[in-house]
Amino acid sequence: QVTLKEPGPVLVKPTETLTLTCTVSGFSLSHSRMGMSWIRQPPGKALEWLAHIFSNGEKSYSTSLKSRLTISKDTSKSQVVLTMTNMDPVDSATFYCVRTHKPASGTSYFDYWGQGTLVTVSS
Amino acid sequence: DIQMTQSPSSLSASVGDRVTITCRASQSIRNYLNWYQQKPGKAPNLLIYAASTLQSGVPSRFSGSGSGTDFTLTISSLQPEDFATYSCQQSFSTPWTFGQGTKVEIK
């Protein structure tokens, strides 16, 4: 059974760096058909994809946030980590850790989601 | 970046109604289009991938169609548990992008 476990609510101050760790179980981060993404959602607003790491370690980032984001993984620990620098109150949102299924051909899709971590940016 | 535009942003419907939600991409994305359902306070749930393939466990009253730039999610007979927000998402190219969401409310 696939599970994605994220931390509880997080409070960070403006200009600080956010670090979120997601621990997965039920599959391996080295599986060739699986990758991991982070997606955020401000209260009452749309979903926004942030970053993705493929099974081979290749990474991809949101165009507008690329300079502030780093995604990494530790396959031996089954963990995926997102860091976001220079946090601002407008970055307050629920952050989701999400598994990406990449078939041999065709569309990738987000098939398993963590419960979400509420991140509040406030002094 | 590929822009995804959904319409309408919200709609009111009754149980048993047929509901259609549209998603338009700013360029052709072939069939690289997925649909998600999200209930308040919960993570999104995958409904349909590759424009028309139903995810395992999703009721058959949900269906998807389209290719290129225009896509549709249809609920054939709206049930009480279907009142939620629906979002489309393209995976044709990174950065992957979502539509703004369509909220389906009870009339």
Side-chain angles (χ1 to χ4, degrees):
Chain A
Q1 151 202 9
V2 173
T3 61
L4 309 174
K5 189 170 184 180
E6 300 162 280
V10 173
L11 176 65
V12 297
K13 292 181 169 56
T15 75
E16 288 186 340
T17 294
L18 171 71
T19 300
L20 295 176
T21 300
C22 173
T23 304
V24 310
S25 62
F27 71 101
S28 171
L29 293 177
S30 62
H31 193 297
S32 62
R33 295 272 170 254
M34 306 300 171
M36 294 297 298
S37 280
W38 286 93
I39 293 168
R40 72 176 179 178
Q41 185 173 40
K45 295 191 176 181
L47 297 161
E48 180 183 18
W49 174 80
L50 300 175
H52 179 81
I53 187 164
F54 294 85
S55 57
N56 62 2
E58 183 182 346
K59 303 169 187 178
S60 184
Y61 294 101
S62 159
T63 302
S64 61
L65 295 169
K66 185 173 185 175
S67 63
R68 299 172 54 202
L69 295 172
T70 303
I71 190 170
S72 61
K73 65 174 179 174
D74 185 329
T75 302
S76 65
K77 293 183 178 179
S78 295
Q79 291 181 332
V80 183
V81 178
L82 179 77
T83 63
M84 188 171 185
T85 61
N86 194 26
M87 293 291 284
D88 183 273
V90 300
D91 295 314
S92 296
T94 296
F95 284 68
Y96 293 102
C97 169
V98 185
R99 191 180 85 166
T100 309
H101 184 102
K102 181 173 168 45
S105 63
T107 185
S108 299
Y109 49 86
F110 304 127
D111 61 349
Y112 285 92
W113 297 63
Q115 81 279 7
T117 295
L118 179 63
V119 175
T120 303
V121 185
S122 175
S123 55
Chain B
D1 297 7
I2 297 174
Q3 307 303 314
M4 306 300 295
T5 304
Q6 286 182 237
S7 60
S9 296
S10 64
L11 64 91
S12 296
S14 301
V15 173
D17 284 353
R18 181 182 182 88
V19 169
T20 299
I21 298 168
T22 297
C23 178
R24 176 165 288 177
S26 60
Q27 67 182 72
S28 176
I29 58 171
R30 291 159 59 179
N31 72 332
Y32 287 54
L33 191 283
N34 308 315
W35 288 99
Y36 301 86
Q37 176 194 65
Q38 186 177 24
K39 297 181 179 178
K42 300 293 187 182
N45 181 52
L46 176 67
L47 292 177
I48 289 171
Y49 62 92
S52 60
T53 303
L54 211 60
Q55 171 69 340
S56 176
V58 174
S60 59
R61 62 181 179 273
F62 291 93
S63 64
S65 64
S67 67
T69 60
D70 295 313
F71 301 86
T72 299
L73 172 69
T74 299
I75 309 172
S76 60
S77 177
L78 198 66
Q79 298 302 300
E81 60 269 29
D82 300 336
F83 292 96
T85 298
Y86 295 85
S87 299
C88 61
Q89 174 252 329
Q90 66 81 17
S91 61
F92 181 74
S93 65
T94 56
W96 295 325
T97 46
F98 288 88
Q100 80 278 18
T102 295
K103 187 174 183 178
V104 177
E105 299 175 300
I106 302 172
K107 180 183 274 186

